[in-house]
Amino acid sequence: MNILILGNSEDVHAVHLKNALTQAGATVYYLDTHLFPTQLKMSWQPDTQLGCLNLPEGVKLDFQDIHSVFWRSLSSIDLPSYLEPEQQRIALNDSMSALRTLIQACPARWVNSWQAYQFHKEKPLQLSRVKQLGIAIPATLISNDSEQVLKFAQSQPMLVFKPVYGGTHTQLLKESHLEPERLQLVLGLSPVTIQEYIPGTNIRSYVINGSVYSVEIRSPALDFRQDLQAELRPVELPDRVQQQCLAITKALMLEWTAIDWRLSPQGEYVFLEANPSPMFLHVESKTGFPITQELVQLLTK
């Protein structure tokens, strides 16, 4: 059984899962897109649906011989530095178009799929889809219009802000951030996500194989990812919220995910985000959740 891990040996989660899958009897390779197109070779015929990979270590795999792929991380491609700017642009466009096509053309089971990854990249759409399920989300504005930002800021007693795409930590919105010159400068560079601050407790729910494993993350930090000393405590969510976890996973086309909630003082679970490739080793070691075992079962079945 051939299984690929989208990522490389520099990622401890990728290495951990490769070792676990190998112990389970699978043949596992890294699919490192940073090596495309210089070392990693891909081919596909749309008329026959036949494709293959030639990995840098000299292994050739036909698409139909790949059982599953675990999406850990998609790296940027690596182009030769000697290319002229116009050559660089053409090579980048062609390489990325081929890479996106071939990721979607490979019929293996993806955990998670390209479509699920797109939802994660477009976080405002993710929030909208979850809201359509009848699940609470924070009041949120995505905008690069200073007038709309100021109007929204006046509607909430306390706000946070973060990038639309993600990738960095949440911060409290202060009066100094709303100074006209600063606001115009920042919003002229890119839009921003501004959200109602939800007081309460951080809850993270790992959803996989129809199971929900939840942990309360006790931390004084605004963004618990900044707190290496955060206390982790396994919790059992109400049945209604567990069903919401499963509904979110299905609606966002996820095979597995970690859902971040804020549990308000009034007992309301407010959805913040669903991550299609969450880190799990620290939580697993502290709680005993069988996440590695569940992933191995998912990728080998």
Side-chain angles (χ1 to χ4, degrees):
M1 181 185 296
N2 296 310
I3 296 177
L4 300 180
I5 294 178
L6 187 63
N8 57 52
S9 60
E10 295 179 7
D11 185 317
V12 295
H13 284 76
V15 172
H16 171 82
L17 194 55
K18 184 177 187 291
N19 291 337
L21 287 164
T22 300
Q23 290 175 10
T27 303
V28 189
Y29 304 99
Y30 293 117
L31 178 59
D32 185 356
T33 52
H34 184 64
L35 302 179
F36 183 75
T38 53
Q39 300 177 58
L40 172 64
K41 309 298 180 183
M42 299 186 184
S43 304
W44 184 58
Q45 296 177 254
D47 56 324
T48 63
Q49 301 293 303
L50 297 177
C52 65
L53 298 175
N54 278 286
L55 302 176
E57 54 264 57
V59 174
K60 178 182 177 182
L61 293 175
D62 292 332
F63 278 4
Q64 62 266 30
D65 294 330
I66 301 170
H67 183 77
S68 59
V69 185
F70 180 75
W71 188 304
R72 177 57 199 154
S73 62
L74 180 67
S75 301
S76 59
I77 64 170
D78 183 33
L79 294 174
S81 58
Y82 59 77
L83 294 177
E84 296 293 331
E86 180 62 12
Q87 293 175 318
Q88 187 92 7
R89 183 187 68 82
I90 293 171
L92 176 63
N93 287 341
D94 285 351
S95 296
M96 289 307 301
S97 179
L99 185 59
R100 289 192 299 266
T101 296
L102 297 177
I103 284 177
Q104 296 175 82
C106 180
R109 181 175 197 170
W110 287 75
V111 180
N112 284 296
S113 69
W114 177 266
Q115 290 75 17
Y117 176 68
Q118 295 309 302
F119 254 126
H120 181 64
K121 288 173 59 180
E122 274 72 62
K123 293 181 187 296
L125 280 179
Q126 186 187 86
L127 282 169
S128 177
R129 177 63 63 89
V130 170
K131 177 64 176 180
Q132 291 170 12
L133 298 173
I135 296 168
I137 66 170
T140 304
L141 173 70
I142 294 92
S143 180
N144 67 332
D145 185 328
S146 60
E147 181 179 342
Q148 293 298 317
V149 169
L150 289 171
K151 181 180 178 181
F152 185 77
Q154 293 168 1
S155 71
Q156 301 293 333
M158 195 170 181
L159 292 161
V160 298
F161 70 95
K162 52 190 175 183
V164 178
Y165 185 82
T168 191
H169 300 304
T170 301
Q171 299 181 55
L172 283 173
L173 186 69
K174 302 176 181 178
E175 285 294 329
S176 60
H177 295 131
L178 300 175
E179 294 174 356
E181 288 188 8
R182 181 175 184 175
L183 199 57
Q184 290 284 1
L185 176 62
V186 170
L187 297 180
L189 298 174
S190 68
V192 66
T193 295
I194 302 177
Q195 282 186 331
E196 163 194 15
Y197 172 73
I198 308 294
T201 306
N202 298 302
I203 303 290
R204 170 163 282 198
S205 300
Y206 290 91
V207 187
I208 184 169
N209 285 333
S211 297
V212 180
Y213 303 99
S214 297
V215 60
E216 177 184 339
I217 305 172
R218 295 183 175 180
S219 169
L222 177 64
D223 190 323
F224 65 79
R225 293 173 297 178
Q226 295 176 289
D227 185 1
L228 298 179
Q229 305 303 317
E231 180 185 352
L232 306 179
R233 187 171 69 90
V235 293
E236 187 77 14
L237 297 187
D239 289 343
R240 174 183 59 83
V241 182
Q242 293 201 47
Q243 290 305 312
Q244 288 179 340
C245 288
L246 297 175
I248 290 168
T249 303
K250 181 178 180 181
L252 300 181
M253 297 179 285
L254 293 160
E255 293 274 356
W256 99 288
T257 185
I259 298 171
D260 288 331
W261 305 90
R262 287 286 278 182
L263 175 57
S264 75
Q266 294 76 34
E268 181 179 34
Y269 287 80
V270 181
F271 171 88
L272 300 179
E273 179 183 0
N275 192 323
S277 183
M279 293 186 287
F280 62 91
L281 290 178
H282 179 64
V283 171
E284 185 175 58
S285 68
K286 293 295 185 181
T287 63
F289 291 161
I291 297 174
T292 298
Q293 178 184 332
E294 294 272 23
L295 285 172
V296 168
Q297 290 178 358
L298 183 61
L299 290 161
T300 57
K301 70 179 180 183

